[in-house]
Amino acid sequence: MDPNKRPDDMVRITTPELAQAFIDEQVEALRAQIGDKNVLLALSGGVDSSVVAALLIRAVGRQLICVHVNHGLMRKGESEQVIDVLRNQMDANLVYVDATDRFLDLLAGVAEPERKRKIIGAEFIRVFEEEARKVAGEVDFLAQGTIYPDILESDGVKAHHNVGGLPEDLTFELVEPVKLLFKDEVRVVGRALGLPESMVERQPFPGPGLGVRCLGAITRDRLEALREADAILREEFGAAGLAGKVWQYFVVVPDMRATGVRDGKRAYEWPAIIRAVNTVDAMTATVPELDWALMKRITERILAEVPGICRVAMDLTPKPIGTIEWE
């Protein structure tokens, strides 16, 4: 049986009882796989990696070392939130690494999406290898929050940093306890593990982060404009009560400029494109109909508060034919 293929008769995890059965099975399997060795977890703070963290804490306790890498491509305030939630609420053994300059220097001038993903994925592993040597000597296992859509989409659609971006000389054995689950199933398991609702319902965020939303070659000024515009969008959606009703929403800023007028003078600046989708399993997605007054308010705020943005547009493409992310 292919270990990366979900069995046709696998029951979908939709209830606390099914989730508990899955947890019991995975805890036993993790103990058998890891033994008395140490395991390093690539911890983004998203639901996938957080569920993996909770499973591993239950299975092997302090043998788990969580590493959160700030690659400079996080959303506004995200790393600070991850540190607070995981250290204070989950009591995780957490190592924080600020590698912003390291990643952005490697990505300078790189425009091709798959190359960006592979650079980010490979550098993540390098950082983890370095941190493993610092905090625990020899680490034999690398845990990841890979889920089933990551595997499916990496076969001909796009490389995910934790599937298609791993270097060939990887020295760790992979630990991927939720790799056969869809996103909705991971959330059910997270609740059964007792994770806080704010973490279970945390909006999906790709491993390469804003690197695949700052389209084309990343520049620091355009990346900062993207971060600020995205923060406004998330703030306004939250205030409108859409945080739990729209599955994912974000901004992308392409590597192109448009002509505008600012303070009576010609402005040649970037467009910001809003993307909002609803989905159950991330394999298909629809675009929700949003309140026009809300969208006007978001547009006005982005244009007024974010330097370098002179236009706001909205992506109405469902999946398929468009993927959820732009890159």
Side-chain angles (χ1 to χ4, degrees):
M1 180 181 296
D2 185 347
N4 292 318
K5 181 174 174 57
R6 185 177 170 116
D8 293 336
D9 60 351
M10 182 173 173
V11 177
R12 285 186 64 84
I13 299 174
T14 56
T15 67
E17 294 75 18
L18 290 171
Q20 189 58 55
F22 174 84
I23 291 166
D24 294 341
E25 176 185 300
Q26 287 301 317
V27 166
E28 182 178 346
L30 288 168
R31 288 173 178 165
Q33 180 183 7
I34 296 167
D36 61 355
K37 302 294 179 62
N38 291 324
V39 54
L40 192 66
L41 172 61
L43 185 56
S44 69
V47 61
D48 303 330
S49 61
S50 298
V51 166
V52 171
L55 283 169
L56 283 164
I57 289 170
R58 188 168 295 193
V60 300
R62 301 299 290 182
Q63 292 166 236
L64 170 66
I65 303 159
C66 300
V67 177
H68 174 66
V69 177
N70 179 0
H71 47 24
L73 303 168
M74 304 296 289
R75 290 175 290 200
K76 187 176 182 178
E78 190 127 46
S79 284
E80 293 83 355
Q81 182 183 39
V82 167
I83 293 169
D84 178 63
V85 170
L86 292 169
R87 280 188 177 157
N88 298 338
Q89 298 184 35
M90 292 182 64
D91 193 30
N93 181 9
L94 177 65
V95 176
Y96 171 71
V97 183
D98 186 351
T100 298
D101 290 339
R102 180 169 170 172
F103 277 83
L104 294 185
D105 287 348
L106 283 173
L107 291 166
V110 179
E112 205 279 317
E114 289 300 277
R115 189 177 168 213
K116 286 199 292 185
R117 286 178 176 271
K118 290 180 183 296
I119 287 172
I120 294 168
E123 194 61 18
F124 255 100
I125 300 303
R126 300 302 177 217
V127 173
F128 292 144
E129 287 176 333
E130 292 171 11
E131 293 306 315
R133 288 192 292 270
K134 290 179 184 178
V135 300
E138 187 67 27
V139 172
D140 295 272
F141 296 92
L142 172 66
Q144 296 192 129
T146 307
I147 63 174
Y148 200 47
D150 296 339
I151 295 172
L152 294 176
E153 289 194 334
S154 290
D155 183 15
V157 179
K158 60 187 176 185
H160 288 260
H161 82 286
N162 52 352
V163 179
L166 298 177
E168 294 181 0
D169 60 345
L170 180 69
T171 59
F172 301 123
E173 180 180 334
L174 292 180
V175 175
E176 299 176 304
V178 298
K179 71 178 180 179
L180 296 184
L181 301 188
F182 289 104
K183 179 71 73 174
D184 58 314
E185 296 177 296
V186 176
R187 296 190 196 281
V188 178
V189 171
R191 291 189 182 93
L193 284 164
L195 293 176
E197 193 67 16
S198 60
M199 185 166 288
V200 172
E201 286 297 331
R202 183 174 177 269
Q203 192 176 125
F205 192 53
L210 298 181
V212 292
R213 296 177 181 173
C214 191
L215 307 184
I218 298 168
T219 61
R220 296 185 184 232
D221 53 354
R222 189 159 52 88
L223 177 63
E224 189 57 30
L226 166 60
R227 201 185 328 267
E228 293 298 325
D230 185 76
I232 290 171
L233 176 71
R234 290 191 293 126
E235 179 184 331
E236 289 292 342
F237 267 46
L242 296 176
K245 296 178 181 178
V246 178
W247 188 80
Q248 191 171 16
Y249 43 90
F250 55 88
V251 172
V252 299
V253 177
D255 186 14
M256 61 172 289
R257 294 179 183 266
T259 301
V261 178
R262 189 181 297 280
D263 299 326
K265 297 180 180 179
R266 180 181 182 272
Y268 194 50
E269 300 174 339
W270 306 297
I273 304 170
I274 294 172
R275 178 75 162 148
V277 297
N278 280 328
T279 184
V280 173
D281 57 12
M283 297 306 296
T284 62
T286 58
V287 177
E289 295 185 15
L290 299 170
D291 179 68
W292 187 245
L294 170 65
M295 301 312 295
K296 287 180 65 177
R297 184 164 61 252
I298 292 170
T299 298
E300 290 167 358
R301 285 196 58 192
I302 290 175
L303 295 177
E305 298 175 28
V306 183
I309 300 292
C310 72
R311 290 176 186 255
V312 177
M314 185 162 183
D315 179 2
L316 301 178
T317 312
K319 178 182 180 179
I321 189 169
T323 53
I324 293 174
E325 297 289 342
W326 271 54
E327 290 188 341

